[in-house]
Amino acid sequence: MAQRANAVVDWDAIDTVLVDMDGTLLDLAFDNFFWRELVPRRYAERNGMSVQAAEQTLAPRFAAKVGTLDWYCLDHWTRDLGMDLKALKREYREHIRFLPGAQVFLAAVRARGKSVSIVTNAHRDTFAVKAEHTGLDKLVDSVVCSHDFAAPKESAAFWVALERHAPFDGARTLLIEDSLAVLVAARAHGVRHTIAIRRPDSREPPRAIADFVGVDGVFELV
């Protein structure tokens, strides 16, 4: 049975807060719209095919990269699809928005004197577009993109590299994240405090979370 987050977050026992970006601070609705709807539509237009045919063409190419760094790499997909994806993200940047309570949460945690860092699989170019639109980079102490270490957050290599880059005490570190695979990797590395986001996309209902403390959003942790 999932525990209530406010029953287990002992802020006095935490020095470092690592927080995911997409699906934790920012609404995953944008990314789901971008990759599931917009990219297939634009790909279809560029290649003179129906949207359905584009979806059938792209699905196996996307599936083959799930869990790898290429899955999150804007450079890879720009080359693979022949589309300027950074420009496309910027064109639709008005769809990028915070999840409920994200800004309040970040301010409250920093007010407690905790170190707050974004750890994201997003490509640096993707982060740049989102930071320009939201000012998210100004609300945290630092930002780490998995591309900096050439390893996705789902891998043990990422956590080894992160600790070398910015040493932290796993016993006094909290990770808040919507990806269960990332939470598993962090826990295996020794991150003691982990919380899963049940509702990363505001358009979808909450997910069932069995193996981690779960909250609908970070607003529950303020």
Side-chain angles (χ1 to χ4, degrees):
M1 178 181 296
Q3 297 167 284
R4 292 179 60 198
N6 60 8
V8 298
V9 178
D10 178 2
W11 290 106
D12 291 334
I14 294 169
D15 297 324
T16 303
V17 178
L18 305 176
V19 59
D20 175 49
M21 181 173 70
D22 300 314
T24 301
L25 296 175
L26 299 184
D27 197 335
L28 197 63
F30 170 77
D31 302 272
N32 287 338
F33 159 74
F34 186 87
W35 291 104
R36 296 176 184 176
E37 301 177 36
L38 183 58
V39 167
R41 187 168 74 234
R42 287 294 180 90
Y43 186 85
E45 293 169 358
R46 288 178 58 87
N47 292 278
M49 61 175 67
S50 69
V51 174
Q52 182 179 17
E55 291 171 344
Q56 292 172 346
T57 298
L58 296 176
R61 286 156 73 172
F62 289 161
K65 296 297 183 179
V66 171
T68 72
L69 197 63
D70 279 347
W71 171 249
Y72 306 102
C73 185
L74 217 56
D75 292 335
H76 168 79
W77 292 117
T78 292
R79 291 190 302 267
D80 188 79
L81 304 180
M83 297 165 58
D84 187 342
L85 296 180
K86 182 178 181 180
L88 191 58
K89 283 179 182 278
R90 182 164 278 119
E91 181 182 348
Y92 282 82
R93 63 185 178 275
E94 295 302 321
H95 293 262
I96 300 169
R97 54 180 57 90
F98 283 101
L99 281 166
Q103 296 130 298
V104 172
F105 166 76
L106 292 173
V109 174
R110 294 182 86 186
R112 291 177 180 270
K114 312 303 178 184
S115 170
V116 183
S117 297
I118 290 175
V119 287
T120 178
N121 272 326
H123 188 277
R124 280 283 175 183
D125 286 347
T126 294
F127 181 80
V129 172
K130 293 183 175 183
E132 288 166 10
H133 183 66
T134 64
L136 178 60
D137 55 323
K138 300 177 179 62
L139 306 180
V140 297
D141 297 307
S142 63
V143 177
V144 174
C145 295
S146 60
H147 290 71
D148 301 343
F149 304 142
K153 293 190 298 179
E154 295 90 332
S155 69
F158 171 85
W159 295 98
V160 171
L162 177 62
E163 190 164 9
R164 288 174 179 166
H165 171 75
F168 59 88
D169 180 355
R172 297 185 60 82
T173 296
L174 167 65
L175 171 66
I176 310 169
E177 166 75 54
D178 70 306
S179 167
L180 300 185
V182 172
L183 289 165
V184 168
R187 178 184 280 175
H189 185 74
V191 176
R192 178 177 296 175
H193 308 277
T194 52
I195 294 177
I197 299 298
R198 287 194 295 256
R199 199 177 182 196
D201 183 331
S202 65
R203 302 180 304 177
E204 298 179 358
R207 307 172 297 167
I209 303 292
D211 298 325
F212 294 91
V213 174
V215 294
D216 283 355
V218 293
F219 62 87
E220 294 187 32
L221 305 177
V222 176

